Amino acid sequence: MASQNLQSVPAELSPEEQEREAAGQAYFDRIISEDSRIEPRDWMPAAYRKTLLRQISQHAHSEIIGMQPEANWITRAPSLKRKSILMAKVQDEAGHGLYLYSAAETLGQSRDQMMEDLIAGKARYSSIFNYPTISWADMGAIGWLVDGAAICNQVPLCRASYGPYGRAMVRICKEESFHQRQGFEILLELSNGTPAQKQMAQDAVNRWYAPSLMMFGPPDDDSPNSEQSMAWNIKRFSNDELRSRFVGMMVEQVRVLGLTLPDKDIRFNEETKKWEHGPLDWNEFKEVLAGRGPCNSQRVERRREAHENGAWVREAAVAYARKQAQKENAA
Amino acid sequence: MTTQETAKDTDFAIEGHGDISVGVHGAGASGDGSASATRITPGNALRPEDIALEIQRGKVKPSEDVAEFALRIGDDGLILAQRLGHWISRAPELEEDIALGNIALDQLGHARSFLTYAGAAWGKSEDDLAYFRREHEFRSAHLFEQPNGDFAVTIARQFIVSFYQYELYTKLMGSTDATIAAISAKAVKEVDYHRDHSAQWVLRLAGGTDESRARIVQGFKLVWPYVDELFEDDELTTRLAEAGVTVQPSSLRAEFDRLTGEIMAEAELEIPGVPQTLGGGRNGKHSEFMGYILAEMQVLAREHPGASW
């Protein structure tokens, strides 16, 4: 596998360099075995750096693209309080994107480069954001299910071995828990509202349930990168383990909502002590991942448009800063 | 008058509500790095819900005139927030998604407070007023409904708005109406940041590249016709100025001109020599843009009249 090849020390290194590499590797191995933290200036294997960069930038892109389906309802939010909460939430997501891009930059890639990769379709983001938000209840379902799944995924990442990532996740998780609660509250209000509102809520849960379960990634026997990530203390629990925990949480919460999950096969397995769910359409998952989801091109196009329309503003800011610096030097 | 009597019973300014960003622990008013964007500074938290509560308790009720005035400035904030909200996920850089979103949130916050208060005169909630009034019942000035245009137009609009609002809210802090004074005391701190944000961008765009300079010149040209309307006195403001509730809008003009003039001079920009429009927003006469803004804002609420969200 490509990522494993990257770990071996290239043959053309001088003896001194080889020694430094070996010492670095020994330090890295010790830090990982002690479950301690790697910091940006520490030596790290090239493959560790690459894996983290891929994961963190993908996470950052998900926050940025994830703003769109919710921004879609800001102007139509049905009460001023909800409008205010939704604006704050989407704004938080921009903030998460910023911390994560910053964390990724400590690994040596610029935000500009990451943004270009996103727009060029070279970088991935969470597939779930390629589904459309067609009703107000989708704001509730995204908060409750999508942010709920994100929290299950992300809480263990607060202990990720790479310092800047773990610390960014601490902050993000605090805000995500607020997001999830507001989503739950939207659905609760709808569920206790008029019959049309309740139906709107149930319809949204029906549509977002399966995609949110698939957010944890493919089943463990089909997840090639998981094992290495767990060995590096980036990932702490397997995809299926996290998915099962999430299902257990949702089963409890959906009762309080007075709604149902569209899955008749959910059950608690007494032997394994784990929650199980019905079959998921992994074919659809792969299709959306491959760019054939309902909103793939729309999402990337919006990002491209915003980025390109903003180029003259960014250029102006740089030019102005340069001129100011020149003035100060001259003075 | 009622509003002066109630002034003694309410003490909004010192009623703090701490941290409303549920689920965030450990961060106080200390500027903690994990503070959320939804945080309200403890000790300075005046929420629309607090005003609604005071109304419910019968502690505050604006006179018809005060309500009409609150409607004007509330609508200004509401319509601008509606415009600015569109930038979120479309801004030139992530920092501006956050900044413009923040300004929109502040404007919406002020609007909610003023509309909640105004509604008390007629037994209406902020949402009744926002979602179930018709176009000619809105009292915002034309500047606020002007399209976002490119980033330069948005900045030019915000520059005018924030310098105007800063002068207005500063004066309203001394209003004889305790609720108007309390809302303004909170708003003025936020609007001060809006001034800073827009002034910095005016300087950057004017002093950046040839393109950015051309765009900010054009931006000001597009929004400047709507400046005079902000400073027009009428019968309502005359009555309220006599009662000490507000000041005459025209009295804010000199300071607005002086402060905006300083930035414009530093940016080497001319005040555009464009004719001023007739306005009419305070009487419910709006531009063609307003119908679309309201259609989008109100569509869902009107589909489910009486529903709670």
Side-chain angles (χ1 to χ4, degrees), chain A residues 64 67-68 71-85 87-92 94-95 97-99 101 111 115 136 171 174-175 177-178 181 185-186 189-190 193-194 196-197 200 302-303 306-307 309-317 319-320 323-324, chain B residues 20-25 33-38 49 78 81-82 85-86 88-95 97-99 101-102 104-105 108 112 115 126-127 130-131 150-152 200-201 203-205 207-209 211-212 215 266 296-301 304 307-309:
Chain A
I64 299 313
M67 292 167 71
Q68 293 181 28
N72 185 37
W73 283 88
I74 287 176
T75 55
R76 291 176 294 166
S79 79
L80 297 186
K81 185 181 170 192
R82 291 286 173 213
K83 188 191 289 288
S84 170
I85 294 170
M87 265 191 200
K89 179 178 193 279
V90 182
Q91 193 199 29
D92 280 353
L98 267 184
Y99 322 146
Y101 283 128
R111 202 210 301 182
M115 195 58 80
W136 168 253
R171 189 165 167 172
K174 285 178 181 175
E175 293 179 357
S177 73
F178 174 58
R181 253 184 266 187
E185 204 200 4
I186 289 176
E189 192 80 31
L190 292 174
T194 64
Q197 283 179 302
M200 194 194 287
R302 163 86 75 84
R303 184 89 295 275
H307 190 69
N309 286 347
W312 68 269
V313 178
R314 298 190 298 275
E315 284 158 16
Y320 181 75
K323 287 181 199 172
Q324 291 302 105
Chain B
I20 63 150
S21 56
V22 188
V24 181
H25 301 293
S34 65
S36 137
T38 53
E49 288 82 0
L78 176 62
Q82 191 69 9
H86 188 76
I88 303 175
S89 77
R90 293 179 174 88
E93 55 189 357
L94 277 177
E95 286 82 350
D97 276 304
I98 295 174
N102 222 23
L105 262 174
L108 182 57
R112 292 185 59 203
L115 293 182
E126 51 172 332
D127 288 336
Y131 293 97
D150 64 11
F151 185 71
Q200 284 192 42
W201 272 114
L203 292 172
R204 274 191 211 115
L205 297 181
T209 62
E211 179 178 11
S212 68
R215 284 182 187 255
E266 191 183 339
E296 191 171 347
M297 182 172 79
Q298 297 177 332
V299 61
L300 179 58
H304 303 266
S308 149
W309 303 93

Side-chain angles (χ1 to χ4, degrees), chain A residues 22-73:
Chain A
Q25 180 76 53
Y27 174 78
F28 177 84
D29 290 345
R30 182 167 62 79
I31 293 290
I32 296 295
S33 70
E34 288 170 356
D35 203 358
S36 189
R37 281 196 152 152
I38 300 295
E39 295 299 335
R41 288 168 196 274
D42 293 342
W43 187 94
M44 63 186 88
Y48 176 81
R49 185 184 296 275
K50 191 181 166 194
T51 296
L52 275 168
L53 247 181
R54 194 197 62 215
Q55 181 169 338
I56 301 173
S57 64
Q58 190 170 319
H59 190 166
H61 296 329
S62 300
E63 296 283 357
I64 299 313
I65 295 291
M67 292 167 71
Q68 293 181 28
E70 291 178 291
N72 185 37
W73 283 88

Side-chain angles (χ1 to χ4, degrees), chain B residues 42-175:
Chain B
N44 184 33
L46 174 63
R47 302 173 308 164
E49 288 82 0
D50 301 324
I51 298 169
L53 204 63
E54 295 289 299
I55 293 166
Q56 240 174 31
R57 289 176 182 157
K59 285 191 173 180
V60 295
K61 188 171 193 279
S63 66
E64 186 75 20
D65 273 359
V66 170
E68 183 64 27
F69 176 68
L71 206 54
R72 291 183 178 186
I73 42 183
D75 284 347
D76 286 350
L78 176 62
I79 299 302
L80 183 61
Q82 191 69 9
R83 281 296 195 207
L84 287 172
H86 188 76
W87 273 109
I88 303 175
S89 77
R90 293 179 174 88
E93 55 189 357
L94 277 177
E95 286 82 350
E96 284 307 307
D97 276 304
I98 295 174
L100 293 172
N102 222 23
I103 295 170
L105 262 174
D106 289 343
Q107 292 287 335
L108 182 57
H110 310 159
R112 292 185 59 203
S113 291
F114 284 123
L115 293 182
T116 299
Y117 187 44
W122 311 298
K124 288 184 188 297
S125 70
E126 51 172 332
D127 288 336
D128 293 335
L129 291 175
Y131 293 97
F132 294 94
R133 269 183 302 157
R134 295 170 63 201
E135 184 174 324
H136 66 271
E137 295 171 303
F138 277 80
R139 293 289 178 265
S140 47
H142 281 226
L143 179 62
F144 301 90
E145 65 202 56
Q146 293 309 304
N148 287 339
D150 64 11
F151 185 71
V153 176
T154 291
I155 289 298
R157 185 183 64 196
Q158 201 60 45
F159 179 75
I160 298 169
V161 167
S162 50
F163 277 83
Y164 157 71
Q165 286 182 332
Y166 186 83
E167 293 310 314
L168 177 65
Y169 293 146
T170 301
K171 291 292 189 299
L172 289 180
M173 282 166 66
S175 172

